[in-house]
Amino acid sequence: MLVSYQWLQDYVDLSGVSPEEVAELLTRGGLEVDHIHRYHDGMDGVVVGKITDSGPHPDADKLTICQVDLGDQSSQIICGATNAPKASKVVVAKPGTVLPGNRVIEATEIRGQKSEGMICALDELGVSENLVSKEQQDLIIELPDDAEVGSDALEYLGLNDVVLEIDLTPNRSDALSMLGVAYDISALLDRPIKVPEIEHGAVRKNAIDQVSVTVEAGVDVPYYGAKIINKVTIAPSPLWMQMRLVAAGMRPVNNVVDITNYVMLETGQPLHAFDYDRFGSKEIVTRRAYAGETMTTLDEQVRTLNEEDIVITNGHTPTALAGVMGGASCEVIETTENILLEAAQFDPVRVRNTAKRTNLRSESSTRFEKGLDAQGTVQAAERAAYLLEKYAGGSVLNGIVESGEMPVFEQEVELSLGAVNTRLGTELDQKETEEILYRLGFGVEDLGDRWRISIPSRRLDINIQEDLIEEIARIYGYDRIPTTYPVSERSAGRLSNTQKLKRKARRFLEGAGLEEAITYSLTSEEKSKRFRLDEFSDDVRVLMPMSEERKVLRQSLLPQLLDSISYNKNRQNNDLALFEMGAVFLPNPGEKLPSELWHIAGAFSGNWTAAAWNKTAEPVDFYTAKGIVEGLLEQLGLTEGVTYRIAKREQLHPGQSADVLVNGQVVGFIGQLHPTFATREGLPVTYVFELRGEALLTEQDKTMRYDPLPRFPAIKRDFAVVVDAQISASEVQHVIYEAAGTWVKDVTLFDVYEGEHLEPGKKSLAYSVTFLNKERTLVDEEIAKVHETIVERLQSKLGASLRG
Amino acid sequence: MIDRLEELKLEAQSAVTSSQDKKELEQVRINYLGKKGPITEVLRGMGKLSAEERPVVGQKANEVREAIQASIDSKQAFFEEAELQEKLSAEKIDVTLPGKKVEAGSPHPLTAVVEQIEDIFVGLGFEVTEGPEVELDYYNFEMMNLPADHPARDMQDSFYVSEDTLLRTQTSPVQARTLQAAKGEGPVRIICPGKVYRRDEDDATHSHQFMQIEGLYVDKHVRMSDLKGVFDTFVKEYFGSNRAIRLRPSYFPFTEPSAEIDVNCGVCGGDGCRVCKQSGWIEVLGSGMVHPRVLEMNGFDPNVYSGFAFGMGVERFAMLKYGIDDIRHFYTNDTRFLSQFKHV
């Protein structure tokens, strides 16, 4: 909502209150002023001039040489506008003036003739081109005779105005008008409101003899009123009115249309003017459109309507799309003489839907959508009639032809002082509270322990006690509400066990050198099929996706994380270690909501550690990813029952991927991207993991006790065994543990060797086994025996031999 | 004999003094104190001495031996010290060469902000509650006082998954879920961080996916002045003790009265600058007293309970705090961006 500071003063006295102060007052009062526009900033030296003589430029067909009286001097100015030869009072920018767009006006010569300044058109003064009326485009401004030569032209035009741009909250439909904003200022400043003039001299003829109104569905059109104004003369509206429309962001058209718009801006009630003689009948019938019915709207577009639209008709064909746009067939045109003026109330939801469907959101439809002041409709019609009489020379017929009852909207709400103070934490007394209510224009009836407040019909947003409390608070001032602390019982706030574990997992991964990524949950159908931990199930898809790339909810974190890898790679960020934690979404047959499962994923490419003066670069490999997973599981308290087995998964390298199992259940996987897949996707060699988060978030063991430190020394034995290369390290390890009995404390694989000095197809695994007996010192003979058992068992089970 | 011993002592000490290294010193030791050395010889010849002479010579021999040993020890220590110094000097390194740095990763700035905010509210007695990202419109809208024909419920603005389920547009449904689970018994003190989704085209200031933190404090006798107190504390904790808040009337369907909370601009301190659009204030969150309809619909008696609710945009907080100018940075995961948040 654009609010002209000058216009506002028609309704409330703003003397001593600057535009900035008004803006601050409104903002603190709940009508947030987003921006203060000063279109005239820096424009100095724009004055009213009178063309005393003019003639064609000798060397240019389209230019006119004008002698212009500027009051204190007379100047010669060359002008290219077609209306220059016959113009009289004009707007002149003197040399030295800086016009919008940083255009500096200088005394110059144009084709050998001097030109001392510029005669201006509206757009040259900063009026946006789409707000200049069709007739005015490319023309210089012609001022009326009362403009005083030499005086400030911006002031005359009202272009020295300051416009406040208010960002309205959706509840404040009352402030979609100059008067509505003025009411708020009146309450905030405690100054009276000045109501606009509506008394016109109606003629004897009755409107009711000229037209009838029939409303077919009362719910759609609670009220329809029509006034008739005869013998108007179509002409431009007065310059001041045009400039006010411009300030409000509306383009002037002609006096009749401008007046309907002006009254809408003033009162909030949209009006529509039909050409009475071209209406097509003398009856107005409002009804639902028929399916497939068509009409041509003012913008010359043929619209196909449906049964959800309300139309105004002449009994046969639609003449307007109710609340949205008039029809072209009875538009007010240059030759229009008699006006049929509509002032109505339409169902807000219907107007909204029609405006939206036809993409015809307008100043008018916006106001209908938000709801109108029930008691303002007729007033607005009378106000427009008054202005049509005054500025279009019309005669207003007696009365208003109407259908439907004007809803008498007089909401009453009870309120007690106690409620105000307990809810706000204030200590207001009865008198100050009542004063605030009066300032808001509310009726206050004292019921002893409470009030009965009657709410003006323009305030559709006030229905319950809390609404009134907010009204009191905003006029009293939110900043005067004290600052207190809740008095309720104290209790410790906390993170849940799961939340703590998630944080722990994050800290571990960050500490280990990974950067956390957050990617989009919506992805393409193709990507959602990749890396799924679960069997294929259908996607959870959105009904109206914005693009193919954001069509379904992800079932795995990796596809999006790989997008981030590729994004980085394209920016030469090559050493990457990313992780993400977040939800994946699986359909949940029989349930309304999908299952949301919490996953952890990681992706690595490039070097794990960079080359430095004392080491060579270490590229990421399978074991980088696995090491992170191992560390993570340990952090989360999963020290036992974790196993890894080679796995075949699509998109993963068949020889370098493993499933991660906890107690025999697959909880995730680790692997290298399949080279074919990586190449196709333009990805570098990348290692990834994805884990089912929930499976890892175990209850924290609050009963954990420490293990007393051993009083006897541990004994270490190192040995290497040669086995078939096919045998996995975990099989060997398993056998060692089994054979080693209860004294084994730790088995560490410290070397793996294949190659020279070994038979082909064999590998050597070197282990360091630590033995400990908590009760006593172990003797060498005992260990030798266990060692022997281990070697025997390895030999019998895996065909291993001790390496010399 | 005694004289001979004395002579030996002087001779040995002189040899110790003139020894050039450990090896020579060892030779001196062997020469004088060794099994074949003169002192041993003296002691061996003791048998020939008289009973009176024996202890005297024996004592003297021991004295001399100890004296020589002491000289050797001292010289040995000298050599060792010199050797150590030489070794240390040889081991000198350039301490300005880079260390074997343990390269840590970094939290995502949005996670960092969420955790910072969680920690402040946990300190104020709140619990952290989460809810599903795909939500019933019953919780997302209906229970938040946004009835069926409300403009905010337009299909165009939300990602619907079915007629009555959608990607939540706000974290507010967690309020409804938590209140209903509390079955009309307060206090309820929660904050709910999470992802939300709206059908917006992605650009520098819009993202179809973003993060919010919703909060709710419901108990008997909660006042709007308490909301001010809690946020005064919060803002000072989060933005700094020199910051102040301003409440402005606003509108949300689920609160009444409603308030926008502004913080004085951290760049200009409130004088007005480009960052705060000359106003001196920066809007940081929406809040208000829980609408009695919301309490009632979710099983709380509005005549007994009151409360306040608030919601903030995590991206906005991160952008304000770290001066980030494009919301898309949060979702492209450029490591040149992410790695800057190591220390937060």
Side-chain angles (χ1 to χ4, degrees):
Chain A
M1 173 81 190
L2 294 167
V3 175
S4 147
Y5 175 73
Q6 289 182 5
W7 190 354
L8 211 44
Q9 296 178 61
D10 280 10
Y11 316 110
V12 63
D13 176 16
L14 292 181
S15 50
V17 193
S18 72
E20 285 73 16
E21 285 164 339
V22 172
E24 179 73 11
L25 198 67
L26 285 171
T27 297
R28 290 194 177 242
L31 301 180
E32 187 186 358
V33 176
D34 219 27
H35 199 78
I36 301 176
H37 298 279
R38 291 172 182 280
Y39 301 109
H40 64 287
D41 250 6
M43 266 198 277
D44 250 344
V46 180
V47 298
V48 177
K50 185 176 164 56
I51 300 178
T52 51
D53 192 18
S54 66
H57 190 293
D59 298 318
D61 291 349
K62 290 181 177 161
L63 297 181
T64 306
I65 300 179
C66 306
Q67 305 304 322
V68 191
D69 175 9
L70 298 175
D72 56 347
Q73 67 188 94
S74 188
S75 303
Q76 172 172 302
I77 303 174
I78 314 271
C79 181
T82 52
N83 62 334
K86 56 177 183 51
S88 165
K89 296 243 173 117
V90 293
V91 177
V92 174
K94 294 206 250 183
T97 304
V98 183
L99 294 182
N102 227 358
R103 184 167 175 193
V104 183
I105 301 303
E106 285 165 342
T108 176
E109 271 191 13
I110 300 173
R111 302 225 176 163
Q113 300 291 328
K114 67 172 181 177
S115 181
E116 302 163 309
M118 184 169 86
I119 305 179
C120 303
L122 270 174
D123 60 334
E124 287 161 339
L125 297 178
V127 174
S128 154
E129 235 170 282
N130 54 17
L131 293 179
V132 177
S133 71
K134 276 187 200 144
E135 293 72 26
Q136 276 291 317
Q137 255 145 39
D138 305 320
L139 297 186
I140 51 170
I141 307 162
E142 293 186 62
L143 296 174
D145 251 1
D146 64 356
E148 194 188 322
V149 172
S151 67
D152 184 342
L154 295 179
E155 192 180 323
Y156 185 86
L157 287 167
L159 279 175
N160 60 344
D161 201 357
V162 177
V163 177
L164 310 180
E165 186 171 342
I166 301 181
D167 186 9
L168 278 184
T169 54
N171 60 325
R172 293 298 304 275
S173 58
D174 63 297
L176 272 169
S177 67
M178 295 300 297
L179 263 170
V181 174
Y183 272 113
D184 244 38
I185 295 175
S186 144
L188 289 161
L189 281 178
D190 199 10
R191 292 186 186 181
I193 199 93
K194 294 181 272 182
V195 185
E197 183 68 58
I198 58 168
E199 284 302 315
H200 50 76
V203 295
R204 282 239 184 105
K205 265 205 280 185
N206 289 325
I208 195 123
D209 301 330
Q210 309 289 316
V211 75
S212 71
V213 172
T214 311
V215 168
E216 284 192 355
V219 193
D220 292 346
V221 187
Y223 177 82
Y224 196 98
K227 279 196 80 73
I228 291 180
I229 298 94
N230 284 341
K231 299 205 171 59
V232 296
T233 307
I234 304 296
S237 59
L239 204 50
W240 63 264
M241 186 182 280
Q242 292 189 35
M243 296 320 294
R244 282 185 173 184
L245 293 179
V246 165
M250 292 193 84
R251 187 165 64 122
V253 179
N254 60 44
N255 49 3
V256 173
V257 174
D258 289 359
I259 285 167
T260 58
N261 284 333
Y262 183 82
V263 174
M264 171 181 72
L265 292 169
E266 182 179 60
T267 65
Q269 169 71 50
L271 300 170
H272 185 67
F274 296 101
D275 183 328
Y276 176 82
D277 304 302
R278 290 163 58 238
F279 192 70
S281 78
K282 292 188 175 179
E283 52 170 350
I284 300 169
V285 179
T286 74
R287 59 165 166 83
R288 289 290 181 87
Y290 308 127
E293 190 172 13
T294 59
M295 76 171 289
T296 308
T297 43
L298 281 176
D299 54 1
E300 302 296 335
Q301 300 286 310
V302 178
R303 309 273 171 187
T304 305
L305 311 179
N306 70 34
E307 288 151 321
E308 300 298 305
D309 303 319
I310 312 168
V311 285
I312 316 302
T313 72
N314 54 19
H316 318 286
T317 56
T319 53
L321 198 48
V324 176
M325 195 178 256
S329 65
C330 45
E331 179 187 2
V332 172
I333 52 176
E334 228 168 296
T335 56
T336 299
E337 283 180 9
N338 302 304
I339 300 292
L340 184 58
L341 182 71
E342 164 196 291
Q345 302 245 351
F346 301 115
D347 176 10
V349 178
R350 297 233 163 272
V351 173
R352 184 173 86 217
N353 292 342
T354 300
K356 205 151 182 214
R357 202 195 71 241
T358 53
N359 208 11
L360 284 174
R361 274 250 163 89
S362 63
E363 294 277 351
S364 156
S365 71
T366 308
R367 285 171 174 81
F368 279 112
E369 283 172 32
K370 307 237 166 185
L372 302 174
D373 173 2
Q375 286 171 1
T377 309
V378 174
Q379 301 246 21
E382 299 299 349
R383 169 72 171 155
Y386 163 84
L387 293 170
L388 286 166
E389 180 185 76
K390 197 165 174 184
Y391 297 108
S395 351
V396 182
L397 299 203
N398 199 18
I400 185 160
V401 189
E402 51 191 0
S403 172
E405 292 255 330
M406 284 295 302
V408 182
F409 191 88
E410 191 85 331
Q411 177 103 271
E412 289 183 335
V413 179
E414 289 191 358
L415 176 71
S416 72
L417 183 61
V420 174
N421 284 327
T422 51
R423 193 53 53 86
L424 296 177
T426 47
E427 285 171 5
L428 288 162
D429 65 24
Q430 172 145 2
K431 191 163 159 283
E432 23 179 6
T433 313
E434 285 178 355
E435 257 163 34
I436 290 172
L437 292 164
Y438 289 134
R439 277 160 65 179
L440 284 159
F442 295 173
V444 181
E445 187 188 341
D446 195 342
L447 300 177
D449 61 339
R450 61 195 196 283
W451 299 286
R452 181 184 292 138
I453 313 293
S454 41
I455 316 297
S457 59
R458 62 191 160 80
R459 293 302 304 274
L460 298 172
D461 59 320
I462 297 174
N463 301 297
I464 57 171
Q465 170 185 283
E466 282 70 17
D467 296 331
L468 281 172
I469 292 174
E470 180 177 80
E471 287 299 296
I472 292 165
R474 71 184 186 89
I475 301 301
Y476 177 70
Y478 272 26
D479 39 4
R480 290 169 69 196
I481 295 172
T483 298
T484 60
Y485 296 92
V487 289
S488 46
E489 60 172 290
R490 296 247 160 214
S491 72
R494 70 179 68 81
L495 294 174
S496 69
N497 181 55
T498 306
Q499 288 158 352
K500 282 182 196 156
L501 283 172
K502 285 181 181 177
R503 281 199 182 190
K504 199 173 178 196
R506 277 204 182 92
R507 291 303 88 80
F508 169 77
L509 293 170
E510 289 157 20
L514 282 75
E515 279 164 348
E516 190 191 8
I518 298 180
T519 63
Y520 295 133
S521 307
L522 285 170
T523 187
S524 69
E525 280 181 289
E526 197 201 345
K527 283 184 185 161
S528 85
K529 292 184 176 63
R530 295 177 186 160
F531 303 108
R532 281 197 258 219
L533 265 167
D534 296 85
E535 285 301 298
F536 174 82
S537 51
D538 199 13
D539 290 309
V540 180
R541 49 191 82 230
V542 294
L543 297 179
M544 289 193 293
M546 295 180 76
S547 69
E548 286 296 316
E549 271 298 289
R550 311 264 170 262
K551 204 171 182 180
V552 301
L553 283 163
R554 62 185 177 190
Q555 298 204 13
S556 158
L557 302 178
L558 277 176
Q560 293 69 242
L561 205 53
L562 291 175
D563 285 347
S564 294
I565 293 281
S566 135
Y567 182 93
N568 276 295
K569 185 197 156 209
N570 294 338
R571 280 153 189 80
Q572 279 79 49
N573 307 333
N574 295 320
D575 299 336
L576 301 167
L578 298 176
F579 78 95
E580 179 169 15
M581 297 185 177
V584 303
F585 305 81
L586 303 181
N588 204 0
E591 296 291 327
K592 289 218 169 223
L593 297 179
S595 306
E596 292 185 20
L597 303 173
W598 187 74
H599 279 200
I600 310 176
F604 310 82
S605 67
N607 288 325
W608 178 240
T609 50
W613 62 276
N614 53 355
K615 63 180 177 202
T616 49
E618 184 195 335
V620 292
D621 61 18
F622 177 85
Y623 301 104
T624 313
K626 186 176 176 187
I628 295 294
V629 170
E630 287 171 328
L632 177 64
L633 297 184
E634 189 184 272
Q635 278 288 306
L636 295 175
L638 290 163
T639 44
E640 285 178 22
V642 179
T643 50
Y644 301 85
R645 68 169 184 226
I646 191 140
K648 278 216 164 28
R649 285 180 177 272
E650 247 183 295
Q651 283 99 28
L652 291 185
H653 189 305
Q656 292 195 19
S657 49
D659 278 353
V660 183
L661 295 88
V662 173
N663 299 325
Q665 297 290 313
V666 175
V667 299
F669 59 82
I670 306 164
Q672 192 200 146
L673 292 186
H674 197 292
T676 316
F677 171 75
T679 309
R680 199 182 66 218
E681 296 292 313
L683 285 161
V685 173
T686 305
Y687 295 86
V688 297
F689 71 83
E690 178 145 355
L691 302 167
R692 258 190 253 280
E694 259 99 5
L696 312 179
L697 300 180
T698 49
E699 250 339 280
Q700 259 177 323
D701 187 2
K702 288 185 180 136
T703 62
M704 183 253 170
R705 309 286 294 181
Y706 100 113
D707 207 359
L709 303 183
R711 287 182 293 143
F712 303 99
I715 294 179
K716 224 185 226 183
R717 284 286 177 276
D718 292 356
F719 61 90
V721 286
V722 176
V723 291
D724 279 350
Q726 299 305 320
I727 291 172
S728 73
S730 76
E731 285 172 276
V732 178
Q733 187 131 340
H734 187 72
V735 172
I736 295 174
Y737 265 108
E738 252 183 10
T742 51
W743 295 335
V744 68
K745 177 131 176 51
D746 188 38
V747 177
T748 306
L749 174 66
F750 68 85
D751 189 42
V752 179
Y753 178 78
E754 270 178 271
E756 230 184 313
H757 309 303
L758 276 183
E759 246 177 87
K762 296 276 182 188
K763 67 179 170 188
S764 153
L765 301 173
Y767 288 91
S768 177
V769 182
T770 310
F771 299 95
L772 178 76
N773 185 329
K774 288 181 186 172
E775 310 303 326
R776 61 184 173 81
T777 304
L778 289 167
V779 294
D780 279 350
E781 293 73 47
E782 290 172 310
I783 300 305
K785 222 170 148 190
V786 175
H787 186 237
E788 210 170 294
T789 316
I790 293 172
V791 175
E792 271 169 21
R793 204 73 67 81
L794 285 170
Q795 192 166 21
S796 63
K797 293 213 159 181
L798 303 172
S801 58
L802 204 58
R803 194 174 174 211
Chain B
M1 203 69 111
I2 298 289
D3 291 348
R4 169 77 183 134
L5 281 169
E6 193 57 34
E7 215 173 280
L8 276 173
K9 183 176 117 185
L10 291 173
E11 210 180 295
Q13 282 176 336
S14 151
V16 166
T17 308
S18 59
S19 67
Q20 291 303 307
D21 54 27
K22 273 169 138 181
K23 205 174 153 198
E24 282 183 33
L25 186 63
E26 179 63 8
Q27 201 49 59
V28 174
R29 191 188 65 79
I30 294 166
N31 289 351
Y32 290 91
L33 302 178
K35 281 180 188 146
K36 290 173 187 161
I39 303 209
T40 316
E41 212 170 292
V42 170
L43 291 171
R44 227 178 255 145
M46 291 263 284
K48 297 171 193 153
L49 296 177
S50 66
E52 293 79 34
E53 263 180 323
R54 227 178 278 158
V56 179
V57 172
Q59 195 187 344
K60 183 66 188 174
N62 276 331
E63 270 173 31
V64 167
R65 199 205 322 242
E66 274 163 28
I68 294 170
Q69 186 63 49
S71 300
I72 292 171
D73 285 352
S74 148
K75 185 77 179 188
Q76 177 77 15
F78 168 80
F79 283 136
E80 272 169 13
E81 177 59 25
E83 224 170 68
L84 177 66
Q85 285 310 324
E86 196 179 332
K87 180 169 148 46
L88 290 178
S89 153
E91 282 170 2
K92 188 179 164 215
I93 56 165
D94 179 357
V95 296
T96 66
L97 280 170
K100 292 178 185 171
K101 189 176 166 196
V102 176
E103 197 76 51
S106 49
H108 193 283
L110 295 178
T111 307
V113 168
V114 166
E115 290 189 0
Q116 289 156 8
I117 293 173
E118 281 177 352
D119 290 346
I120 296 172
F121 280 100
V122 165
L124 292 169
F126 286 66
E127 288 183 22
V128 180
T129 315
E130 285 146 307
E133 292 173 32
V134 181
E135 186 54 283
L136 297 171
D137 67 2
Y138 168 81
Y139 288 116
N140 192 73
F141 292 132
E142 201 89 24
M143 289 299 105
M144 285 291 108
N145 205 22
L146 287 139
D149 61 353
H150 197 280
R153 290 183 62 165
D154 201 303
M155 294 279 285
Q156 293 290 332
D157 301 333
S158 311
F159 289 109
Y160 273 86
V161 164
S162 72
E163 199 166 294
D164 54 0
T165 56
L166 73 164
L167 306 196
R168 65 179 174 191
T169 60
Q170 45 187 3
T171 39
S172 317
V174 187
Q175 279 190 32
R177 285 177 175 273
T178 311
L179 284 175
Q180 291 188 14
K183 299 201 185 306
E185 283 288 323
V188 170
R189 284 171 287 211
I190 52 161
I191 63 161
C192 333
K195 292 175 183 144
V196 299
Y197 306 84
R198 290 186 195 168
R199 258 182 115 256
D200 281 331
E201 292 285 349
D202 296 339
D203 61 26
T205 53
H206 296 85
S207 182
H208 75 276
Q209 172 181 321
F210 56 104
M211 290 187 85
Q212 273 191 344
I213 299 180
E214 189 83 9
L216 180 69
Y217 192 124
V218 170
D219 202 355
K220 294 166 182 164
H221 317 300
V222 178
R223 303 156 293 180
M224 194 155 170
S225 52
D226 298 333
L227 164 70
K228 264 183 122 168
V230 164
F231 276 95
D232 192 57
T233 307
F234 168 72
V235 158
K236 285 183 163 62
E237 277 293 320
Y238 188 81
F239 289 107
S241 55
N242 56 339
R243 306 295 282 274
I245 58 166
R246 165 177 94 163
L247 267 65
R248 266 185 301 114
S250 189
Y251 172 75
F252 306 105
F254 30 86
T255 51
E256 191 72 33
S258 302
E260 207 73 66
I261 298 182
D262 297 342
V263 176
N264 60 345
C265 179
V267 176
C268 62
D271 297 337
C273 66
R274 203 178 49 81
V275 172
C276 58
K277 290 198 261 170
Q278 307 305 329
S279 71
W281 295 96
I282 290 175
E283 193 175 307
V284 289
L285 58 104
S287 67
M289 301 302 288
V290 182
H291 197 291
R293 282 278 298 145
V294 172
L295 288 174
E296 207 176 351
M297 284 188 293
N298 292 295
F300 275 71
D301 182 350
N303 296 313
V304 179
Y305 283 97
S306 58
F308 59 82
F310 52 91
M312 47 196 144
V314 179
E315 281 82 357
R316 182 165 172 74
F317 267 70
M319 288 168 104
L320 283 176
K321 189 156 182 168
Y322 305 117
I324 298 163
D325 55 3
D326 191 326
I327 200 168
R328 287 169 294 199
H329 285 319
F330 294 116
Y331 296 97
T332 49
N333 302 305
D334 191 317
T335 58
R336 293 167 300 177
F337 174 75
L338 294 177
S339 62
Q340 293 180 39
F341 298 93
K342 253 178 203 177
H343 61 281
V344 304

